Amino acid sequence: MPTFVGAIDHGTTSSRFIIFDTDGNIVASHQYEFDQHFPQPGWHEQEPNAILSSVRECVDSAVKQFVGQGHEKHDIKAVGLTNQRETTLAWDIKTGEALYNAIAWPDTRTAAMVREWKKKPGYDDLMEICGLPLSTYPSAIKLLWMIKNVDAVKKAYEAGTLAFGTTDTWLLYKLSGGKDGGVFVTDSTNASRTYFMDLHTLQWSDHILKFFDLDRSKLNLPEIVPSASATKFGAFAGGELAGVRITGVLGDQHAALVGQKGFDTGAAKNTYGTGCFLVYNVGDKPVISKNGLLGTLAYDFRGVAGQEKATYALEGSIAVAGSAVKFLINNFKMAKESYEVTELAASVEDNGGCYFVTAFSGLFAPYWMDDAKGTMFGITQYTSVGHVARATLEASCFQTKAILDAMEKDSGKKLTALAVDGGMSNSDLCMQAQADIIQIPVDRPKMRETTCLGAAIAAGFAVGVWKSFDELKQINTEGRTLFEPKNKDKSQKNYQQWNRAVQMCKGWTVEEEENVEVKSKSGTEEVSGTKATN
């Protein structure tokens, strides 16, 4: 009897469901884009029920496609889930209903709050606990903003019915029944991105919660569990897969590392999606960065695949990558499809001296500049749309170089190759530029749905579809493309110019006191407070 594993990939702008066979081949899939909301400059929201319905649509459609091929539903032994991280939801644990839109991970409305919290005594000790610098990025600061500014969230907190979670927790809760018996859990990779988890104990940190003046008796936090479990993540309460267990959960970048089979210490991958995320396996002990990177989990397979300990990572997170390409398409109308941006970039020999610091959400690792704005430098009458397109693609490559330099300082080791995936990795021009800028080979698989594959692997480990890392060695190995570095001298000069541009884009954020209109699930209220217009 054939065996298959499904994987939900809930990303920043779309959801998909893929069904894999045991060799890692895609058998059926469906993708669905959901709406993004930008109610004010720097704000980025998503509708919680749209997140849920997008996943349900993908699962049901892909399963129908699978059955239409002559397969049986019961041949799908388990399902994994991977998700956009840090995106924050608040709901009432009694009613199961969301109290406000999800605040997406690139949202920067909390910049002023971040600067105030950094002034509080004891802040300097927190990174040693959670591995993260405080910025607009983690979930904690988004939750604090909701409690302060959204009346429905504030009331639920005071009543002790406020449930907090990232999108994995929300989806698991709703897919398994919601208020009628739904599970309330998160895996440790997602928890590590909230700022609330102790990276050493893999449990919620009372010290950090106390620092933020949060009363744990009033805040419902999900149980933190390993990334693969046959029982903890529940089962589908309805739909085409009713009764099928969800047995693996990983944040999207952790899943991509697993999908790239980055199981050895020193392995690294870079995913070029909405943002760009470089994850480097550091082994079974956490490493706290001294050079602007994030200490995090790689994956947590305790109890499966012969693993007794969680595996840790250093990560460099770039807020804007593929979203900059979409910006050229949607805002500047330079193209209709992403591949056309690559064609524009290929129409010129180089960037023509144009550098685009794509700091739409400030700059993340390793710079951590929340006062930066998207800025283009070096524009002359010679500059064409081709130069702008090339500068947009190169922006992620330059930031990846900065992250790799920081990783080398933290780890004391130089990377010898970089595995890549994600939408922008489809561009040969972009990947060659990446190899040139970092001066190491870039290794791209033929099948680039490595994030989904990683979630499927986690789910499969939990139910014995695969039992060890060695069983996965031959999965997704055929048809890989290796981009060898070229143009060393020119690339070094371009990187120096990029660094100049980064320093010149600082200080654009202006804070002002104004009334901020906040729409909650219970209506619209005026909230007076400080808003960072970034």
Side-chain angles (χ1 to χ4, degrees):
M1 183 183 295
T3 296
F4 302 90
V5 181
I8 298 165
D9 179 2
H10 166 64
T12 306
T13 59
S14 69
S15 297
R16 73 190 71 194
F17 185 68
I18 297 179
I19 301 169
F20 294 94
D21 65 20
T22 54
D23 292 323
N25 299 310
I26 295 175
V27 179
S29 67
H30 188 79
Q31 183 174 0
Y32 184 89
E33 290 197 4
F34 55 92
D35 290 339
Q36 309 296 306
H37 303 282
F38 306 95
Q40 298 193 40
W43 293 32
H44 185 172
E45 297 180 357
Q46 298 162 353
E47 209 282 309
N49 288 327
I51 290 173
L52 176 64
S53 62
S54 72
V55 168
R56 285 176 168 158
E57 160 73 19
C58 290
V59 171
D60 288 352
S61 295
V63 171
K64 288 175 182 177
Q65 181 188 138
F66 177 74
V67 171
Q69 296 172 7
H71 302 293
E72 300 288 341
K73 291 181 190 178
H74 58 72
D75 291 335
I76 301 173
K77 300 304 180 186
V79 170
L81 167 65
T82 182
N83 57 286
Q84 57 169 322
R85 305 167 305 168
E86 292 95 13
T87 295
T88 304
L89 294 102
W91 65 97
D92 191 298
I93 200 70
K94 287 188 175 181
T95 67
E97 297 303 317
L99 300 170
Y100 187 69
N101 277 345
I103 298 182
W105 61 267
D107 188 284
T108 59
R109 74 185 70 187
T110 57
M113 289 180 69
V114 168
R115 286 190 281 274
E116 288 303 310
W117 281 111
K118 283 182 175 180
K119 296 174 185 177
K120 183 175 178 178
Y123 164 70
D124 292 338
D125 300 328
L126 300 186
M127 190 167 174
E128 289 294 324
I129 299 172
C130 68
L132 309 176
L134 186 60
S135 68
T136 59
Y137 189 26
S139 310
I141 200 72
K142 304 180 199 308
L143 176 65
L144 292 167
W145 185 92
M146 288 188 195
I147 292 173
K148 179 181 178 181
N149 293 295
V150 181
D151 187 55
V153 176
K154 187 186 308 181
K155 287 179 179 177
Y157 174 70
E158 292 299 332
T161 62
L162 177 61
F164 157 78
T166 43
T167 57
D168 60 309
T169 302
W170 171 250
L171 287 168
L172 291 168
Y173 174 72
K174 298 296 276 190
L175 291 172
S176 62
K179 66 181 179 63
D180 299 317
V183 297
F184 187 48
V185 299
T186 187
D187 95 295
S188 52
T189 66
N190 278 293
S192 74
R193 314 303 298 203
T194 63
Y195 206 89
F196 288 145
M197 192 188 83
D198 186 321
L199 200 58
H200 307 270
T201 66
L202 306 183
Q203 295 300 320
W204 301 120
S205 168
D206 288 329
H207 180 84
I208 293 178
L209 290 164
K210 185 176 180 181
F211 174 86
F212 287 119
D213 300 324
L214 288 170
D215 184 342
R216 190 163 181 177
S217 68
K218 295 180 178 179
L219 180 62
N220 294 278
L221 296 170
E223 179 187 0
I224 301 173
V225 301
S227 307
S229 170
T231 59
K232 289 291 188 179
F233 299 121
F236 287 90
E240 292 291 327
L241 288 183
V244 174
R245 289 178 292 167
I246 299 170
T247 61
V249 175
L250 290 159
D252 52 7
Q253 305 313 319
H254 315 271
L257 182 68
V258 171
Q260 290 275 19
K261 296 170 292 182
F263 301 124
D264 296 326
T265 300
K269 69 87 205 175
N270 205 21
T271 298
Y272 303 77
T274 301
C276 188
F277 304 89
L278 202 160
V279 180
Y280 178 87
N281 184 328
V282 298
D284 63 8
K285 293 182 176 62
V287 174
I288 307 302
S289 177
K290 305 299 182 185
N291 295 283
L293 302 179
L294 309 178
T296 190
L297 267 292
Y299 48 83
D300 184 359
F301 289 150
R302 287 174 293 165
V304 300
Q307 302 300 297
E308 297 179 357
K309 298 180 179 180
T311 300
Y312 292 86
L314 284 170
E315 178 175 321
S317 306
I318 299 168
V320 176
S323 56
V325 174
K326 285 203 169 186
F327 174 81
L328 297 186
I329 295 169
N330 297 332
N331 295 53
F332 282 3
K333 310 300 182 185
M334 285 175 51
K336 293 182 179 179
E337 301 290 343
S338 297
Y339 73 86
E340 294 175 348
V341 174
T342 293
E343 291 176 351
L344 284 172
S347 70
V348 294
E349 291 185 4
D350 53 33
N351 63 22
C354 180
Y355 295 85
F356 188 8
V357 183
T358 52
F360 302 159
S361 301
L363 285 174
F364 285 7
Y367 311 106
W368 298 111
M369 298 177 184
D370 63 8
D371 61 350
K373 282 276 198 176
T375 318
M376 204 173 292
F377 296 93
I379 300 173
T380 67
Q381 288 182 315
Y382 171 71
T383 305
S384 69
V385 291
H387 296 124
V388 172
R390 186 176 280 261
T392 302
L393 297 179
E394 288 179 347
S396 296
C397 302
F398 287 131
Q399 291 176 83
T400 296
K401 162 70 171 167
I403 288 168
L404 281 174
D405 288 349
M407 283 186 173
E408 186 175 342
K409 291 176 183 176
D410 277 333
S411 68
K413 298 177 182 178
K414 186 174 178 65
L415 209 63
T416 56
L418 181 64
V420 298
D421 51 61
M424 278 180 67
S425 72
N426 293 327
S427 168
D428 287 359
L429 184 149
C430 185
M431 293 301 96
Q432 186 59 57
Q434 185 67 89
D436 294 348
I437 289 167
I438 61 178
Q439 285 297 298
I440 61 174
V442 168
D443 183 7
R444 184 182 67 188
K446 182 178 180 180
M447 196 287 289
R448 286 158 220 162
E449 297 291 355
T450 53
T451 303
C452 256
L453 179 59
I457 288 170
F461 277 153
V463 295
V465 174
W466 302 284
K467 296 179 176 64
S468 71
F469 294 158
D470 287 344
E471 289 184 47
L472 302 170
K473 284 183 177 179
Q474 299 307 311
I475 287 181
N476 201 24
T477 56
E478 295 182 4
R480 299 184 79 93
T481 303
L482 199 66
F483 297 87
E484 296 285 355
K486 306 172 184 176
N487 304 320
K488 182 176 181 179
D489 291 342
K490 185 175 182 180
S491 294
Q492 287 179 338
K493 290 178 181 177
N494 286 346
Y495 184 58
Q496 290 173 356
Q497 285 293 89
W498 163 264
N499 283 327
R500 288 184 63 199
V502 167
Q503 294 307 312
M504 293 168 68
C505 80
K506 291 192 294 186
W508 285 91
T509 296
V510 177
E511 294 178 35
E512 60 185 26
E513 295 286 330
E514 68 179 26
N515 286 331
V516 182
E517 185 182 79
V518 179
K519 292 182 179 179
S520 74
K521 291 293 170 181
S522 59
T524 301
E525 60 249 14
E526 291 288 320
V527 179
S528 181
T530 302
K531 172 183 167 255
T533 57
N534 51 343

